[in-house]
Amino acid sequence: MININRLRVRKKGRTICCVSQLQIAPGERVAIVGPNGSGKTTFLRVLSELEKGYDGDCRVDALRKDRVYVHQSPYLFRGTVLFNITYGLCQRGTGRAECERLAGHWLDRFGLRELAGNRVNHLSGGERRRVALARAMILQPQLLLLDEPLADMDKDGAAAVALALDDLKESTILIASPVALSDGLTSRIHAIQSP
């Protein structure tokens, strides 16, 4: 699924991300762990094709439309929780009724059912993150890239994320985190050192 060899990203003459070698098999779940400033976010941006300026080899066996990246400060569209969660499916041409049916599963998964009709500008940080994760996961992407998805989450929210990831049996998942994650969330850890 992913094959990295001597990847280096430089900005203004300074190396901001360096991954010497990494192979990730389809369906694998990998924690990308490292201190702040080590290049975890940049690495996910390279894999999502949001970052184009790098040296080395980066091969990802997934079309761009089958890659979903959830930023550590996720952006939500104006409107309701339900509108945000169904947005990607609707853009792909899925009918409204089917979008809402699928959204019901993810609303329940993330404990958002009672907030479905609420406007997103009234949500807490943890609620906003759960909406962004539900919006990503409903697409069942081939490659899911999560940048610190448990930030702003209480214990119940983090548990909901872990359970929701179990629904994505076919997805390859990379989770960037400054510290090792709880057991069961990922199958292995790849540490990124500060460049």
Side-chain angles (χ1 to χ4, degrees):
M1 166 60 84
I2 297 172
N3 194 339
I4 304 294
N5 193 26
R6 286 181 240 146
L7 176 73
R8 182 178 304 273
V9 181
R10 295 176 58 79
K11 298 284 182 188
K12 298 180 181 178
R14 185 172 80 86
T15 298
I16 61 170
C17 177
C18 185
V19 178
S20 59
Q21 192 171 35
L22 178 63
Q23 286 81 36
I24 298 174
E28 195 170 2
R29 287 143 195 255
V30 179
I32 304 299
V33 177
N36 292 337
S38 61
K40 299 180 303 293
T41 295
T42 301
F43 180 56
L44 295 186
R45 288 177 53 82
V46 168
L47 295 175
S48 67
E49 293 189 355
L50 293 174
E51 180 71 53
K52 303 275 189 180
Y54 61 85
D55 296 320
D57 297 318
C58 174
R59 193 185 85 235
V60 179
D61 295 330
L63 297 175
R64 177 114 198 270
K65 70 178 184 68
D66 294 323
R67 305 176 199 190
V68 175
Y69 170 61
V70 180
H71 192 273
Q72 58 185 293
S73 299
Y75 175 81
L76 297 181
F77 302 113
R78 270 186 261 173
T80 65
V81 167
L82 181 62
F83 170 78
N84 271 270
I85 291 174
T86 60
Y87 181 82
L89 286 178
C90 291
Q91 292 301 306
R92 290 182 174 183
T94 305
R96 192 80 189 139
E98 180 66 2
C99 286
E100 290 182 8
R101 184 189 71 75
L102 293 169
H105 170 77
W106 293 99
L107 286 164
D108 291 339
R109 268 299 200 190
F110 284 103
L112 296 167
R113 174 71 73 172
E114 64 189 37
L115 301 176
N118 290 16
R119 302 196 66 76
V120 296
N121 55 329
H122 299 297
L123 300 178
S124 71
E127 290 167 341
R128 293 176 65 84
R129 188 170 301 279
R130 285 185 284 155
V131 170
L133 289 167
R135 181 178 63 195
M137 292 183 192
I138 197 172
L139 297 172
Q140 306 256 333
Q142 193 174 355
L143 177 61
L144 179 59
L145 306 163
L146 304 176
D147 197 351
E148 299 192 26
L150 303 181
D152 300 327
M153 292 254 185
D154 58 21
K155 185 178 178 182
D156 291 341
V161 171
L163 286 172
L165 289 173
D166 283 341
D167 281 357
L168 303 177
K169 303 286 187 213
E170 304 298 317
S171 297
T172 302
I173 301 171
L174 276 71
I175 301 175
S177 175
V179 295
L181 300 167
S182 62
D183 293 337
L185 209 51
T186 57
S187 57
R188 72 177 166 120
I189 296 172
H190 179 80
I192 293 185
Q193 303 299 320
S194 295

